[in-house]
Amino acid sequence: MTSLYRYSYYDTPDGKDLHKKLVFAAKNVSILGFGLATSEIILISKPIGYLNTLYRYGQLMGPMYAAAASFCTVTYVSTKLREKDDEMNYAIGGFTTGIFTGALIKRYMFGTWMGVSFAIAGAVKKYAKLNDIEFFPVSLNRKSIHGDFYTPYRNWTIYDQRPKGWIAAEERKE
């Protein structure tokens, strides 16, 4: 049993553990949404005052939370009702998410096209997951000789290590 902190969306099959999937989605939306909303607030809208800033965060991040929650919930319900774990559940979840988001931002035609796009993306994602296809096969377990941003060594030198016993020219006694 994995803790809620280390839980990933695909640790349990669709149709099970809705509350864990919602927490996982909300956690990822919080990270991504806070960064995007902060960028928009600082660079574009520039609200004056704390309350206006908090209101703008709500305007920007509210639809993101609603989209993530609607996808998880609709996919869960669709899996339970259809009693199948296939691409159609993700397509239904994606379409509902697009329509719901379009209604939230009051742009209905945009929401319809977003729903179609999310339905296709969701079906492709589930197809890839069922068939063990990776879209971005990048390993995060890199082992660099001199270290990089992902290793704990933090050695960013551009030269090779000097051999043992090496003495600098200035320190040699001739």
Side-chain angles (χ1 to χ4, degrees):
M1 172 138 183
T2 60
S3 70
L4 202 53
Y5 179 71
R6 295 183 181 266
Y7 182 78
S8 177
Y9 192 85
Y10 295 106
D11 284 350
T12 55
D14 288 331
K16 297 195 184 334
D17 293 335
L18 175 63
H19 64 284
K20 287 185 178 181
K21 291 181 186 284
L22 286 171
V23 168
F24 175 79
K27 180 175 66 170
N28 286 338
V29 166
S30 297
I31 294 167
L32 180 67
F34 186 73
L36 291 174
T38 301
S39 299
E40 196 278 339
I41 287 170
I42 291 172
L43 298 174
I44 298 169
S45 63
K46 301 176 185 174
I48 298 171
Y50 294 116
L51 291 178
N52 289 336
T53 304
L54 287 174
Y55 179 72
R56 188 65 183 148
Y57 271 111
Q59 279 183 320
L60 295 170
M61 291 180 66
M64 292 181 200
Y65 282 117
S70 68
F71 178 79
C72 292
T73 306
V74 170
T75 303
Y76 174 82
V77 170
S78 175
T79 304
K80 286 289 192 186
L81 291 177
R82 294 182 65 240
E83 296 178 354
K84 291 184 195 174
D85 188 12
D86 61 355
E87 297 90 354
M88 183 61 76
N89 297 328
Y90 272 42
I92 293 169
F95 186 74
T96 307
T97 299
I99 294 292
F100 184 62
T101 306
L104 275 177
I105 62 175
K106 296 180 180 157
R107 296 184 61 193
Y108 304 107
M109 197 64 197
F110 178 72
T112 304
W113 286 111
M114 198 162 57
V116 170
S117 301
F118 286 174
I120 293 169
V124 169
K125 172 65 178 168
K126 185 64 176 185
Y127 176 81
K129 192 66 181 168
L130 289 175
N131 295 311
D132 292 327
I133 299 170
E134 290 186 45
F135 289 120
F136 305 106
V138 176
S139 173
L140 295 178
N141 297 326
R142 299 181 294 159
K143 299 290 183 200
S144 177
I145 295 171
H146 300 295
D148 58 7
F149 290 109
Y150 296 105
T151 59
Y153 305 114
R154 305 288 189 246
N155 181 5
W156 297 316
T157 57
I158 58 175
Y159 298 109
D160 290 335
Q161 294 292 329
R162 296 183 176 120
K164 284 193 170 195
W166 185 87
I167 300 173
E170 302 86 36
E171 298 172 1
R172 283 190 218 148
K173 295 182 180 177
E174 295 185 38

